Amino acid sequence: MFAAVCCAAPLSGAVGAYVALKTGVSDGGGIAEGGSAADIPARMLTAYKKAVQDVGQYVPRCRGMRWQILAGIAKIESNHAIGHTIAANGDITPKIYGVLLNGSGAGGNTTAVADTDGGKWDGTASGERAVGPFQFLPSTWESVGKDGNGDGVADPHNADDAALGAAVYLCGGGRDLTRSAQLRASILQYNHSSAYVADVLGWIAQYTAAATDPDLTNVTGTVRTVIEAALSQRGVPYSWGGGNANGPSYGICCSPSGKSGTSIKGFDCSGLTQYAYARAGITLPRVAAAQAGVGQRIPAGLGPSVLKPGDLLFFATAPGHDATIYHVGIYLGSGQMVNAPRPGTVVRLDAVDTMSGYAGGVRLL
């Protein structure tokens, strides 16, 4: 049953400002749900964009700050405060607290951090814990915290204040974040973990791809029909086993981690490709691995740069062995694909390199 649908490739993660704390992996072993602006509460997205506009007041020499960078950090630190109430002024309730950094090992912390704020921000005088949607330590907040919403208080539990403080911190003395080395250095400063840096960069790439509409100027005929059909389904929920040539449908139970699609009307990865190609009169098999056997195969060794819009592209746990293909998307050009990634997400645009194990493509048009 598992071979009939798609799932995510394993990816490790890290959370917690300044202390590398490993998280459990999400469904299918992949990064947690999300990947497009659709998974960010509107008020949080507003805070990220406002911080980008305002950071120059505090770090005039900073270059290249984008909301996607802040979103990449906040995705890992607090999942954009999802599950909390975000007031019109940006205040977040209930407040978000990290684990008490007392060296107990809970949550992965092995080093005790002495209290610095008397519980002012983290609610306890017995030690230190990270706070707010960007998980600042109180000691760091005292040096970088800013009043982003104009109420006279720099509060790490406020979306506007926290986002602006994070932007100031990431900018440092005036980094150029358009340069990959400086962007990596800023993220590494936020959390001294190479796994954390990789995860944040992955989310930045996903949010960037999702926010950029594909250029279909020179895409015509059946290729355009397929791509527009896939794009028309953006926002439709992922459903394990869901979707077919006729459109979204209720899925099946269950994914490797136990997620059921039986109550979700939507698409999994191969259901989406089957639907899009059916709009052009092309019938595809239901299974992603079987779809790799149809049409002109594009070897993985050539890399994704040889793909053309409308091509199917595949991902495998062991590239070169088609039986291990676990995922399929539709290539749009410029390193983007239409993608139904994993349970808990929606059909969206993603960067090709957000999935692991590129296994080549198929050209049908």
Side-chain angles (χ1 to χ4, degrees), residues 9 27 75 86 141 177 189 197 202 244 246 266 311 317 359 365:
D27 187 84
K75 176 64 182 181
I86 309 166
W141 181 253
L177 300 179
Q189 172 185 271
V197 172
N244 52 48
N246 297 317
D311 289 346
T317 55
L365 303 170

Side-chain angles (χ1 to χ4, degrees), residues 256-335:
S257 65
K259 298 290 186 180
S260 174
T262 56
S263 63
I264 302 172
K265 189 174 184 180
F267 291 101
D268 65 13
C269 64
S270 53
L272 177 65
T273 55
Q274 192 178 49
Y275 167 77
Y277 271 86
R279 305 284 72 74
I282 298 173
T283 301
L284 291 179
R286 182 59 180 82
V287 184
Q291 292 180 3
V294 179
Q296 176 189 348
R297 190 63 188 270
I298 303 168
L302 298 179
S305 63
V306 302
L307 294 172
K308 294 181 178 180
D311 289 346
L312 294 177
L313 66 163
F314 301 92
F315 301 86
T317 55
H321 300 276
D322 284 359
T324 70
I325 286 175
Y326 69 88
H327 197 78
V328 60
I330 300 175
Y331 189 65
L332 296 176
S334 302

